Amino acid sequence: MQFHVDAWNPGFGSSAEATDRGPTASSTAKLDTNIEVDAKKWQPIDPPAGLSAPQRVLLVDGVRRTDARLWIGLHPGLACSYAAGVVECTPGQAKLAAAQVQRTIFTSAEEVSDVGTAPARYRAVCVQGADEAGLSNAVQAHLTELEINISSLARTDDDLLIVDGPLRSRGTLPRALGYVKTQQKQYLPESLVGIVTALKPGQRTPVFLIGGIYQRITWYLKLPGGSGAPWAGIVRVECSAELPEHEAIRLAGLSAVTIPRFASVPYKDPRAPQNLIPIAGLEKRLRQLLGDPKLLHRALVRASA
């Protein structure tokens, strides 16, 4: 396959983080705020008395990196490395349960072939008619699929799975929670926002439904260790909208006794307390598994010649 490696730096740069002042954009999604209690009776909810965290908690995350931007004839391409992994947390112990790395060239060119040799071999995938934004979406879709596959390798009947980020297509996973640590959209009406900012560590809001393409049942949870800003330490947790309401409420209670114990602290992580300690460790390990970007870029340049 003939292709050209663009000299432009392929790095994505840092993702935008929402401030502790709260979401900056309003959502137009339809809401149902009367699932657990009537919206007029909303108030912070403490964890149920006597409820304990599961003995086995799995935290899933994935990382992606663009190793090079390519041109295959007149068609753009992205040579990407991406990895997904699972951290298994049991009382007093956390360990890497599973991890996998994949390398793929995503391009709109129809006639493509794999490039390079292991461990720097890239599988070629054609995304017909896609521009660079479409190719980036394809990368994320493949990463999500890898996260789903890697999650299934470590499951047992009594665990709780926490996915870093929205559930989206992972909503079919059993006993799964999506963990959204940055709040970029304001879902609740102004009359209920005060309930969120009044939460104390370990408290949550009642559950509510967010409509749209990816319907989900969700709630806000306050982590310990945040600053005095109104939204400091606030995360949003979600589960599948296909679950019965009583099961969603049960998972909300479990989240309140489980997630806060993994909260990070500022002297260890600048994204504390939202960036959970096991997730931070997993991200670091997965980025190591991606390999040296300079060596991979050099391998692609050699292959292009």
Side-chain angles (χ1 to χ4, degrees):
M1 178 176 70
Q2 295 287 327
F3 64 96
H4 167 70
V5 178
D6 198 316
W8 188 267
N9 188 331
F12 278 105
S14 60
S15 60
E17 298 286 348
T19 69
D20 288 345
R21 295 189 300 272
T24 56
S26 297
S27 170
T28 58
K30 293 183 178 180
L31 301 178
D32 182 355
T33 55
N34 299 306
I35 294 177
E36 187 170 2
V37 296
D38 187 278
K40 296 179 180 179
K41 299 180 180 180
W42 266 42
Q43 60 182 356
I45 297 177
D46 291 308
L51 182 64
S52 300
Q55 292 292 300
R56 189 168 185 267
V57 180
L58 303 176
L59 295 101
V60 182
D61 195 14
V63 298
R64 50 183 279 190
R65 185 184 68 206
T66 300
D67 297 326
R69 288 186 170 87
L70 313 176
W71 286 98
I72 304 170
L74 298 176
H75 298 275
L78 295 177
C80 298
S81 296
Y82 48 100
V86 181
V87 173
E88 176 188 0
C89 296
T90 54
Q93 184 181 23
K95 65 178 182 180
L96 182 65
Q100 188 174 348
V101 178
Q102 292 185 2
R103 307 191 199 281
T104 306
I105 291 176
F106 298 89
T107 177
S108 58
E110 295 185 4
E111 296 184 4
V112 293
S113 58
D114 297 349
V115 171
T117 57
R121 185 167 182 79
Y122 291 79
R123 181 171 57 97
V125 171
C126 172
V127 186
Q128 291 186 348
D131 56 10
E132 187 163 328
L135 297 179
S136 181
N137 291 337
V139 180
Q140 188 59 44
H142 278 71
L143 176 56
T144 298
E145 182 180 356
L146 183 60
E147 290 178 4
I148 293 173
N149 293 338
I150 207 76
S151 300
S152 64
L153 299 178
R155 300 304 304 267
T156 59
D157 292 336
D158 58 350
D159 61 19
L160 178 66
L161 182 72
I162 300 174
V163 176
D164 188 53
L167 277 180
R168 293 184 178 167
S169 58
R170 296 169 287 201
T172 56
L173 297 172
R175 301 177 308 286
L177 298 176
Y179 177 78
V180 183
K181 55 180 175 278
T182 58
Q183 312 310 316
Q184 298 177 341
K185 288 189 176 182
Q186 179 62 271
Y187 290 103
L188 292 174
E190 287 296 327
S191 60
L192 296 178
V193 170
I195 305 299
V196 180
T197 56
L199 294 175
K200 297 179 180 179
Q203 291 183 328
R204 65 174 179 88
T205 66
V207 304
F208 60 99
L209 176 72
I210 299 177
I213 298 176
Y214 295 109
Q215 286 198 87
R216 61 272 200 205
I217 295 177
T218 189
W219 56 95
Y220 290 101
L221 173 67
K222 174 82 168 185
L223 301 182
S227 68
W231 283 75
I234 299 292
V235 297
R236 188 173 61 79
V237 189
E238 62 184 35
C239 65
S240 171
E242 301 298 321
L243 292 174
E245 293 178 359
H246 71 274
E247 176 63 15
I249 294 171
R250 186 187 74 85
L251 286 174
L254 276 180
S255 76
V257 296
T258 302
I259 295 176
R261 66 177 182 165
F262 298 126
S264 53
V265 291
Y267 74 89
K268 287 187 175 182
D269 194 324
R271 293 180 288 173
Q274 287 97 321
N275 198 40
L276 304 180
I277 292 174
I279 291 293
L282 177 58
E283 288 177 345
K284 182 178 180 180
R285 178 55 180 153
L286 291 177
R287 294 193 187 283
Q288 292 172 342
L289 293 176
L290 290 183
D292 189 319
K294 293 182 180 179
L295 292 177
L296 291 165
H297 189 275
R298 191 179 307 163
L300 287 164
V301 171
R302 285 200 305 266
S304 70

